[in-house]
Amino acid sequence: DQKKKVVPSFEKSIREVLSDAGFTGVLYNIICLVPSKELVKVATKLLRSLLETGAESVKAAVYNQASNHDKSGKFFKQLRNQIQASLDYLLREREGDVGTEEVILNEHMDTCSSSFELLEFMCSRYLDMQNAFRVQKFNRTSIDLVAFGSEFLDQFVKSSANLEQLDSRELELVISALEFIIACCQGPCPDNQLHVASSPAVQVCQLIITNDDWKEDAAEGLIDGPKMKIRVQDAAIKVLAVCLEGRTDQEVHKILAQNFDDELLKSALSVLTPKMQEQ
């Protein structure tokens, strides 16, 4: 595992003070209401930064905004829509339907990654928000962000052939989506565990874990220390592991057993584990 970022205590207090002063609500409302895409992107990154240290009070402030001041669910819709719009562009670019402009491509990659990271920090080990990501009982309509994260992975990875074509930058995006799925379940959140276990994310994780053909720059290039291939496979394994965390029943086990080629998975894990230990 990568070392957890150590944030000085004064930096945590600054985030909490800003949140207590209403800055969380300001950013939340910008994301909900402001038509400027650029301003929404900035607000997304700032809110992500406020949540980065995992302060419970900041998570609670965001949850309070969602549950008490956003009955139409504009915030969740906005985050979903901006990820979907960027995904649509990336898929069209992959098919050659739009011109490859590096600046625009990077912007869409950044939008997806920062949005998934924001969602991850919002719900990580915070049960109320984890459940709210699946169903918003406090809203007139619900947006299932847990299912959306799984569908994103399914569309972006799609097949083993596509996985082999992804470069290190695209695999970073896959990791962001996987880490969001992990955060939805970690703690654990029993209902989200069942939800994810029955989702396309499981098949995507199986593809990642068992895949042995990787684009050269993804397999060999070093990013943040560990090889990209190991980082992606590690995140995929964690998705499966977190689905089983803390369960006293066999429901998730049975679902996973139905979806997996056990021998193929065992074979892949037997190869992967020693490699991970070397990192």
Side-chain angles (χ1 to χ4, degrees):
D1 289 351
Q2 296 183 54
K3 290 184 179 179
K4 189 174 181 180
K5 182 180 177 183
V6 177
V7 181
S9 58
F10 75 86
E11 192 174 345
K12 287 186 180 180
S13 66
I14 288 173
R15 285 174 165 87
E16 291 173 353
V17 167
L18 285 171
S19 180
D20 291 345
F23 193 46
T24 298
V26 171
L27 295 174
Y28 188 103
N29 287 325
I30 288 173
I31 293 170
C32 288
L33 303 172
V34 174
S36 168
K37 290 182 179 179
E38 291 306 313
L39 193 53
V40 168
K41 287 179 184 177
V42 172
T44 298
K45 290 182 179 180
L46 284 172
L47 186 53
R48 172 200 170 283
S49 180
L50 281 183
L51 288 155
E52 189 173 8
T53 60
E56 290 293 308
S57 62
V58 184
K59 293 179 188 177
V62 178
Y63 182 76
N64 179 60
Q65 284 290 134
S67 58
N68 294 316
H69 305 290
D70 184 18
K71 295 300 182 182
S72 60
K74 290 181 180 178
F75 182 82
F76 289 164
K77 287 177 187 174
Q78 176 64 34
L79 289 175
R80 179 200 62 187
N81 291 346
Q82 68 185 30
I83 293 173
Q84 186 64 57
S86 289
L87 173 62
D88 290 343
Y89 178 90
L90 295 173
L91 294 178
R92 291 199 307 273
E93 188 274 336
R94 186 184 292 172
E95 296 298 324
D97 294 337
V98 293
T100 302
E101 296 184 38
E102 201 67 19
V103 173
I104 297 176
L105 196 62
N106 286 337
E107 284 179 358
H108 285 291
M109 290 279 191
D110 184 57
T111 294
C112 286
S113 292
S114 60
S115 298
F116 273 127
E117 286 172 0
L118 170 58
L119 292 170
E120 175 194 346
F121 295 151
M122 282 171 61
C123 76
S124 181
R125 298 187 183 278
Y126 193 78
L127 188 60
D128 286 341
M129 189 65 87
Q130 287 173 321
N131 283 319
F133 276 3
R134 188 184 67 261
V135 56
Q136 296 94 58
K137 294 180 180 178
F138 44 75
N139 283 350
R140 289 188 287 272
T141 58
S142 279
I143 294 173
D144 190 340
L145 291 171
V146 182
F148 176 72
S150 297
E151 290 159 8
F152 175 93
L153 284 166
D154 189 43
Q155 290 182 64
F156 195 64
V157 175
K158 205 148 190 179
S159 70
S160 187
N162 275 353
L163 182 62
E164 291 155 18
Q165 294 167 10
L166 301 183
D167 60 27
S168 56
R169 180 179 52 182
E170 292 170 309
L171 289 173
E172 285 281 5
L173 180 50
V174 172
I175 290 173
S176 294
L178 289 169
E179 289 179 341
F180 163 63
I181 297 295
I182 292 166
C184 287
C185 298
Q186 205 165 34
C189 177
D191 289 332
N192 282 356
Q193 288 175 317
L194 281 167
H195 204 38
V196 170
S198 303
S199 77
V202 170
Q203 282 72 42
V204 173
C205 288
Q206 184 171 7
L207 280 174
I208 291 170
I209 294 167
T210 58
N211 186 65
D212 204 35
D213 295 314
W214 298 78
K215 196 166 183 176
E216 185 174 342
D217 79 316
E220 303 300 331
L222 295 179
I223 296 180
D224 296 333
K227 290 181 179 179
M228 176 59 72
K229 173 185 173 182
I230 301 300
R231 287 184 59 209
V232 180
Q233 291 182 320
D234 183 39
I237 290 170
K238 285 179 179 175
V239 168
L240 304 181
V242 81
C243 285
L244 300 168
E245 179 189 352
R247 297 199 72 90
T248 57
D249 58 29
Q250 296 295 312
E251 289 185 73
V252 172
H253 299 72
K254 290 176 181 177
I255 294 170
L256 293 180
Q258 291 171 356
N259 290 328
F260 274 129
D261 180 335
D262 292 336
E263 292 306 315
L264 189 60
L265 182 58
K266 288 176 184 176
S267 174
L269 288 175
S270 68
V271 173
L272 178 60
T273 302
K275 289 183 179 179
M276 291 175 64
Q277 291 173 345
E278 291 172 6
Q279 299 304 315

